[in-house]
Amino acid sequence: WKDQPRLSSAAMMPPQPEPEKEEPGEEMFALDKIQANARVMSTCRVATAIAAGCVAGILGLEGLSGFVFFFLSCLLMSALLCMRMGSLTMAAYFRKPTHVWSEGLTQGALSYILFWTLTFDLVHIY
């Protein structure tokens, strides 16, 4: 027994694969963080659309002027978010930088139309 070399526990472990080297053009993304950012952006867009729809209904906006008001409110919300994050590129927070301007736009439009017509009817028709 004394003459035999002792094996350490590290020697018994299987060889570990070498870590992959990151290529210069390849970017790393945390998918869960990107999804969380998209959810927050969608929630902000819907909340802004509801508020803008109520304001448009109270002001009595009709037709094209109501839709222009929606797009201006979305543009303002995205610009304020960019200013809040301190960057105009937003590449660090979204997979594509254009998502800050377009994420949740459809959901926001549907909420806007719902509250725009509801508030308009409550204020100007009844």
Side-chain angles (χ1 to χ4, degrees), residues 61-79:
L61 298 178
E62 295 179 354
L64 190 60
S65 63
F67 286 108
V68 169
F69 186 74
F70 168 70
F71 287 114
L72 288 176
S73 67
C74 288
L75 183 67
L76 178 67
M77 194 271 306
S78 297

Side-chain angles (χ1 to χ4, degrees), residues 39-95:
R39 277 193 306 273
V40 168
M41 180 60 122
S42 181
T43 303
C44 288
R45 181 92 56 205
V46 168
T48 302
I50 289 171
C54 291
V55 170
I58 291 170
L59 292 176
L61 298 178
E62 295 179 354
L64 190 60
S65 63
F67 286 108
V68 169
F69 186 74
F70 168 70
F71 287 114
L72 288 176
S73 67
C74 288
L75 183 67
L76 178 67
M77 194 271 306
S78 297
L80 289 174
L81 185 66
C82 286
M83 287 174 34
R84 167 75 169 89
M85 292 298 169
S87 173
L88 290 176
T89 59
M90 302 300 284
Y93 304 104
F94 296 96
R95 185 161 229 161

Side-chain angles (χ1 to χ4, degrees), residues 3-29:
D3 294 336
Q4 292 181 352
R6 291 189 180 233
L7 295 175
S8 67
S9 61
M12 291 185 206
M13 302 201 63
Q16 300 292 325
E18 292 185 25
E20 295 181 19
K21 295 180 181 176
E22 187 177 322
E23 295 186 24
E26 188 176 323
E27 295 184 32
M28 301 290 289
F29 293 105

